[in-house]
Amino acid sequence: MPQTFSRQQFLRAAALLGAALALPALAAADTFPSRPLKLLVPFSPGGNTDVVARLVGQGLAEALGQPVVVENVPGANGAIGASRVAAAANDGYTLLFGTAGTQAINPSLYRNLSAKSLDDFEYIALVTSIPNVLVVNEAKTPVKSVAELLSYARERRSGMSYGSPGMGSTVHLSGELLKSATKLDLVHAPYKGSAPALSDLIGGQIDFIFENITPALPFIQSGKLKALAVTSAERLPQLPQVPTMKESGFPTFVTATWNGVLAPKGTPRAVVQRLEAATLKVASSPEFKAKVSSLGGEPRLLGSAAFRDFTRTEFKHWAGIIQAAGLEKQ
């Protein structure tokens, strides 16, 4: 005769089963981390992403009690490094220091990626936002404001060039956004990094650039480059006299790169929560905030769920810019 269970017995059995299934995850959280972690930076050493990643890595090592090895895997606007992390073991020991490029822009630029690739990761925490700044070499481009730059470009009618550290960067797409908004004939000059792009701007080989504030700031402060506008929503403390693009006649022109920590999809929730708490602790420290501010960035802290939602909003934002620019998938 089949055995029957009361509703109370059924609920008790379900609770016991749930607790049993949760034991491995709880055990993993209790022992995590038990060995060194790897924080993969999908860009070359020396850039703002690498600098901030090393700050986070050092802080995580102290917070978690295990070494955090920072590894640089550049290529394809960060897509190569991001793909490597997505395919790694989902145990919390291989992490990605993601950016607007890897998480929000690349899915609209590369044929082998799509919006679905946003689900290849567990979102740990967002830590910084780093806006761009529109700069010129006045000896080459004799203007002092965005309005003067546009007038100068219309007088020349064609051929004005803007540099970038590579296809698909927020620097490149900021230039494309200006191009589509003004209908000017502007020529994109891609470089292999910010350093050669800024060098050619100083040397007079290109006309302007929307560069990340971090590498551009020393040249602005030394007078080698003239800042016309910043792409942040508000003026930056480091450049209080420089207006925003919004103030310069472009009310929706807000662009920035950003940095956050991610893990492969399927990383145990308890491990994600441990990493989230540690990352937010690091990023909320006065030392971290001071260092990011000195780089021209803005500390921006979002936990796991908010970071995931933010990334999806950013994906739609950049997809619209890419579509307006008519850029084909690579």
Side-chain angles (χ1 to χ4, degrees):
M1 181 177 180
Q3 186 175 5
T4 59
F5 293 90
S6 68
R7 182 174 183 275
Q8 186 176 13
Q9 288 172 318
F10 176 80
L11 292 174
R12 185 182 298 115
L16 290 172
L17 178 60
L21 292 174
L23 285 176
L26 291 173
D30 287 342
T31 60
F32 178 86
S34 58
R35 54 187 170 86
L37 293 81
K38 180 188 295 182
L39 181 60
L40 194 147
V41 179
F43 297 97
S44 300
N48 57 274
T49 298
D50 179 67
V51 172
V52 179
R54 292 178 187 279
L55 291 173
V56 172
Q58 180 181 353
L60 285 178
E62 296 172 358
L64 297 172
Q66 289 288 345
V68 176
V69 179
V70 176
E71 179 182 348
N72 297 87
V73 182
N77 195 38
I80 293 175
S83 297
R84 183 175 297 186
V85 173
N90 54 3
D91 53 12
Y93 287 94
T94 302
L95 306 173
L96 172 69
F97 201 62
T99 68
T102 62
Q103 306 310 121
I105 294 174
N106 288 349
S108 295
L109 278 181
Y110 291 95
R111 296 183 187 280
N112 62 332
L113 298 176
S114 69
K116 292 182 180 179
S117 64
L118 299 178
D119 295 324
D120 290 340
F121 301 90
E122 301 292 345
Y123 293 79
I124 307 297
L126 181 74
V127 295
T128 61
S129 176
I130 302 177
N132 299 322
V133 57
L134 173 56
V135 289
V136 299
N137 174 359
E138 288 187 273
K140 165 73 173 179
T141 309
V143 299
K144 297 184 181 298
S145 68
V146 174
E148 288 184 14
L149 175 67
L150 299 183
S151 296
Y152 185 73
R154 291 188 180 98
E155 289 172 5
R156 288 183 53 175
R157 296 190 178 181
S158 65
M160 282 197 74
S161 58
Y162 64 95
S164 84
M167 176 75 174
S169 62
T170 64
V171 174
H172 166 218
L173 295 179
S174 294
E176 291 291 342
L177 180 56
L178 182 69
K179 181 178 179 179
S180 60
T182 60
K183 310 302 181 186
L184 289 169
D185 183 12
L186 304 175
V187 179
H188 176 220
Y191 289 82
K192 292 182 178 180
S194 293
L198 287 168
S199 178
D200 268 11
L201 180 63
I202 294 170
Q205 278 72 52
I206 54 177
D207 294 295
F208 68 91
I209 187 172
F210 280 95
E211 185 53 87
N212 290 155
I213 185 67
T214 305
L217 190 57
F219 297 106
I220 297 169
Q221 292 172 334
S222 68
K224 291 183 178 180
L225 294 177
K226 170 70 174 178
L228 304 184
V230 293
T231 65
S232 48
E234 306 293 337
R235 294 193 183 197
L236 298 179
Q238 300 85 350
L239 299 170
Q241 303 306 316
V242 178
T244 64
M245 286 296 292
K246 292 172 64 176
E247 292 176 290
S248 302
F250 297 87
T252 62
F253 201 122
V254 178
T255 64
T257 190
W258 39 262
N259 302 123
V261 179
L262 303 99
K265 183 70 175 179
T267 300
R269 183 60 192 159
V271 172
V272 169
Q273 290 173 334
R274 179 80 191 279
L275 290 167
E276 176 188 17
T279 303
L280 291 175
K281 179 181 178 181
V282 171
S284 62
S285 70
E287 295 81 10
F288 180 85
K289 291 181 177 180
K291 182 61 177 178
V292 169
S293 180
S294 72
L295 295 171
E298 304 169 309
R300 183 169 186 182
L301 278 61
L302 293 178
S304 178
F307 182 22
R308 182 180 62 248
D309 293 343
F310 170 78
T311 300
R312 280 155 176 73
T313 300
E314 279 285 280
F315 167 74
K316 294 177 182 178
H317 170 69
W318 289 109
I321 293 173
I322 290 167
Q323 183 178 13
L327 299 177
E328 294 184 2
K329 282 206 168 191
Q330 303 298 300

